[in-house]
């Protein structure tokens, strides 16, 4: 019996597959499973997996509330979500080649934007890596230079960009 394809909420049992996808898609930005597990625990409504034919995972999104103009350090635990945050942070969106080309990435970004708007958040933010700024621009994000983030962005690579999108509730 084959599972339905498409995006669904991530479950703790998905973490090994999520880690395998991360190793393929983002090998230059390794993070421990504990990082993903904590974000899933803190913001389960922001964590999703893309299920393909037969239920095999083809991608994931990990996102959570986080202050605008700030970026959690790579491979670090948050410890909690600061109170009063009005920004939703897209920590990681990764798709295997089999999950690309059918609009899945744009669909989950739109779904998270709707969720964030409905929950009262006023913006979305992320760090674009792997030459993905064009994709994020098409999703309504714009590059924002925050001098306080320069050192943190350099820990990704020279092309990393902090990007933000206002949400029209």
């Amino acid at each position: 019996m084959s599972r339905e394809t498409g995006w669904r909420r991530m479950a703790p049992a998905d973490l090994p597959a999520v880690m395998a996808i991360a190793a393929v898609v983002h090998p230059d930005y390794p993070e421990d499973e504990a990082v993903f597990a904590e974000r899933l625990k803190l913001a389960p409504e922001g964590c999703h997996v893309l299920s393909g034919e037969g239920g095999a995972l083809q991608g994931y999104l990990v996102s959570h509330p986080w202050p605008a103009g700030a970026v959690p350090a790579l491979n670090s635990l948050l410890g909690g979500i600061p109170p009063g945050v009005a920004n939703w942070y897209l920590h990681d969106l990764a798709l295997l080649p089999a999950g690309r080309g059918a609009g899945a990435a744009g669909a989950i970004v739109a779904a998270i934007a709707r969720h964030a708007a409905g929950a009262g958040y006023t913006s979305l933010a992320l760090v674009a890596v792997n030459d993905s700024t064009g994709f994020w621009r098409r999703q309504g994000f714009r590059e924002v230079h925050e001098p306080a983030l320069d050192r943190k962005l350099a820990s990704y690579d020279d092309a990393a960009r902090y990007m933000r999108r206002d949400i029209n509730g």
Side-chain angles (χ1 to χ4, degrees):
M1 180 177 187
S2 131
R3 289 190 203 168
E4 186 176 331
T5 61
W7 289 102
R8 65 169 173 79
R9 283 265 185 108
M10 185 184 293
D14 295 320
L15 288 171
V18 166
M19 296 306 298
I21 294 167
V24 170
V25 177
H26 297 305
D28 295 333
Y29 313 108
E31 294 191 285
D32 296 333
E33 187 172 323
V35 170
F36 291 91
E38 182 198 45
R39 282 157 174 78
L40 175 59
K41 182 178 177 185
L42 291 172
E45 68 279 16
C47 299
H48 300 268
V49 291
L50 179 62
S51 183
E53 286 295 320
L57 297 189
Q58 297 178 341
Y60 65 84
L61 170 74
V62 174
S63 66
H64 53 83
W66 200 248
V71 173
L74 278 173
N75 201 29
S76 67
L77 298 176
L78 301 177
I81 304 295
V85 171
N87 180 70
W88 195 270
Y89 183 74
L90 282 67
H91 175 78
D92 195 1
L93 173 60
L95 297 179
L96 292 173
R100 298 178 191 156
I108 194 62
V109 171
I112 284 297
R114 284 189 304 274
H115 164 75
Y121 294 88
T122 59
S123 63
L124 302 172
L126 57 90
V127 173
V129 297
N130 293 339
D131 297 318
S132 63
T133 54
F135 167 79
W136 292 111
R137 281 188 199 110
R138 290 188 300 277
Q139 306 308 309
F141 288 79
R142 60 181 169 65
E143 293 178 41
V144 177
H145 183 247
E146 297 274 356
L149 292 179
D150 287 349
R151 180 184 287 175
K152 218 170 248 183
L153 291 176
S155 73
Y156 289 87
D157 61 43
D158 291 340
R161 297 290 180 262
Y162 180 71
M163 301 183 80
R164 194 162 48 227
R165 171 182 163 182
D166 293 331
I167 299 174
N168 297 324

